[in-house]
Amino acid sequence: RDMKKAKLNNDLLPGDRVETKSESRCEIIYTDGSIIRLDQNTIYKVEDKNSKDEEDSFLSVGKLWANIVKFVAGGDIHNVKTPTAVAAIRGTVYQIDCDKVKANYKVFEGGINVTPTGLVDPDKATVFKIDMGDEFVLVNNFDEYRKQQEKAFEEFQKQQQKAFEDFMKQDQAEFEEFKQKDLAAFQEFQNYHV
């Protein structure tokens, strides 16, 4: 399908894809009252219900925050697929931040079950339960993840170095100003007592 600009209260159908650009956000409200919020630079696709009548969606890249409604009778399960895993969600407030290398899951309320994808025998996959207050990172390509982390650390070091240099410049400028004021006060004192 061709991409078109979203408008307020657009309906989303299975197969529709939402892509947010830089400095844009999107909120999706499902008919059951569940809310999905997409951060900037995110691609999210609504898929058909699966064979178990569960809502499916695919977050290929970016960050989403969700508040999934839980019904008294158990309610529907929302499955959010990423390039690394599938998260099964029911009655939960959570966040996913992912790319092709890793997916980072944070649970604020309730819990989610995360199952890695791409396994030879999916029936033997380990299911990770992430509960309220927990954060979990599932890595698909460790070498690429390591490179991402090294790059992020280098950026952090540069930011810290710049912050330190800015602090030293400001501190030196304040010291020079203090020294000039002190010298002026001393000269005024000498002039008065001579």
Side-chain angles (χ1 to χ4, degrees):
R1 294 185 192 179
D2 292 334
M3 294 294 286
K4 60 183 179 181
K5 254 190 166 170
K7 295 179 183 167
L8 188 61
N9 295 322
N10 273 23
D11 286 333
L12 288 177
L13 302 172
D16 285 348
R17 188 178 88 164
V18 179
E19 182 174 343
T20 58
K21 300 293 184 182
S22 181
E23 298 184 22
S24 65
R25 311 281 188 287
C26 178
E27 182 173 270
I28 300 167
I29 302 173
Y30 281 83
T31 55
D32 68 0
S34 296
I35 299 169
I36 305 281
R37 291 190 180 131
L38 306 178
D39 198 9
Q40 64 182 345
N41 302 315
T42 296
I43 300 174
Y44 178 82
K45 183 179 177 187
V46 178
E47 297 183 344
D48 285 317
K49 286 192 173 193
N50 65 27
S51 60
K52 297 177 186 172
D53 203 34
E54 300 168 341
E55 296 282 344
D56 276 359
S57 60
F58 183 71
L59 178 67
S60 54
V61 67
K63 183 188 263 185
L64 72 73
W65 173 90
N67 185 352
I68 304 300
V69 173
K70 180 178 183 177
F71 293 101
V72 177
D76 290 334
I77 290 179
H78 287 248
N79 293 313
V80 179
K81 300 172 187 172
T82 69
T84 59
V86 176
I89 298 116
R90 177 187 287 143
T92 304
V93 179
Y94 68 96
Q95 174 183 304
I96 302 174
D97 185 359
C98 81
D99 57 28
K100 64 181 180 173
V101 175
K102 53 105 178 85
N104 186 348
Y105 302 86
K106 292 181 185 176
V107 177
F108 304 105
E109 185 177 306
I112 63 176
N113 293 330
V114 176
T115 306
T117 57
L119 301 171
V120 175
D121 187 355
D123 293 331
K124 294 182 180 178
T126 300
V127 176
F128 299 94
K129 179 151 177 50
I130 300 120
D131 292 315
M132 182 172 70
D134 290 341
E135 182 172 356
F136 179 73
V137 178
L138 187 61
V139 177
N140 189 34
N141 181 328
F142 189 77
D143 290 335
E144 284 298 316
Y145 179 71
R146 190 184 78 243
K147 289 176 188 175
Q148 284 180 345
Q149 295 302 304
E150 287 170 353
K151 184 177 178 183
F153 184 68
E154 287 172 11
E155 286 298 315
F156 173 75
Q157 283 181 314
K158 287 178 187 175
Q159 290 172 356
Q160 293 301 307
Q161 183 65 33
K162 183 175 179 343
F164 178 73
E165 289 168 1
D166 291 347
F167 169 77
M168 291 303 292
K169 285 179 188 174
Q170 181 180 351
D171 190 54
Q172 186 63 34
E174 289 173 0
F175 177 71
E176 289 299 325
E177 183 182 335
F178 170 77
K179 197 165 72 171
Q180 293 299 324
K181 285 180 183 178
D182 197 42
L183 183 59
F186 179 70
Q187 287 174 344
E188 186 178 317
F189 173 78
Q190 273 187 328
N191 291 340
Y192 181 71
H193 287 70
V194 174

